[in-house]
Amino acid sequence: MTEDEKAATLPLLTDSILRIVEQAAKIDACFALEPVFVHTLGTVEKLRTLKEAVADHDHFHIIFDPVNVLTAADMPRQAAFWPAWCEVIGKDLACVHMKDAVFHPDAPRTPTALGAGQMDYTVIREWLHRDHPDAALLRDEVILPAAQADLAYIKAL
């Protein structure tokens, strides 16, 4: 999606999420959404706007997949990039999708085993230990030959 398309679809997405969360509240359920850079909800600012509009901590949570919101341009400044995401997600974390990749400026990212790519989990790890010690960490985009090493990486995190 272009930036104009993302901006144009945010009100539609917000309306849809409001309706879903309203139904979730009626049955005492929770709806979770995953921000993705190439989709409508791809920046921390848009996530903040959506969360302010929904304003329902009991029925709306966030699936945090850091690799899906990181771009090649933001990759070198991860120590400064992640605190805002952690702050906006706050207590509304549903789970974390764990994966790693090598980022390319003009091409899709290349998935790697955990710890073998450019994803820096330092800030996120500190946030999880401090604010979400029981968070579910789910390996996403599994690379079967690396599965055991990935599991060890997650346990060490």
Side-chain angles (χ1 to χ4, degrees):
M1 297 177 79
T2 67
E3 291 306 313
D4 287 342
E5 290 170 330
K6 291 176 187 181
T9 58
L10 185 58
L12 300 171
L13 176 68
T14 302
D15 182 63
S16 295
I17 300 305
L18 286 167
R19 291 169 190 252
I20 293 168
V21 171
E22 179 182 335
Q23 293 303 310
K26 287 180 181 178
I27 60 171
D28 197 28
C30 182
F31 174 74
L33 184 69
E34 179 179 339
V36 178
F37 178 75
V38 296
H39 297 158
T40 301
L41 192 62
T43 66
V44 72
E45 295 82 10
K46 288 180 181 172
L47 178 58
R48 183 184 317 275
T49 299
L50 178 65
K51 283 190 63 185
E52 288 171 355
V54 174
D56 187 335
H57 301 291
D58 293 328
H59 303 103
F60 180 58
H61 290 172
I62 302 301
I63 300 168
F64 188 31
D65 188 329
V67 169
N68 280 357
V69 297
L70 188 63
T71 66
D74 291 318
M75 189 272 307
R77 58 178 206 93
Q78 291 183 63
F81 184 75
W82 296 124
W85 280 96
C86 296
E87 183 267 324
V88 169
I89 293 168
K91 66 179 185 175
D92 300 322
L93 179 69
C95 65
V96 179
H97 283 176
M98 300 290 300
K99 61 185 169 205
D100 205 342
V102 173
F103 292 82
H104 311 285
D106 298 317
R109 60 181 164 75
T110 304
T112 67
L114 292 174
Q118 296 173 300
M119 180 60 213
D120 182 355
Y121 280 100
T122 304
V123 170
I124 296 166
R125 180 185 65 238
E126 292 168 0
W127 172 64
L128 290 171
H129 279 268
R130 183 183 63 247
D131 296 344
H132 298 282
D134 296 329
L137 308 179
L138 309 172
R139 179 62 169 108
D140 194 21
E141 297 182 9
V142 174
I143 300 169
L144 288 178
Q148 291 305 311
D150 287 349
L151 181 58
Y153 182 95
I154 291 170
K155 287 181 177 180
L157 192 67

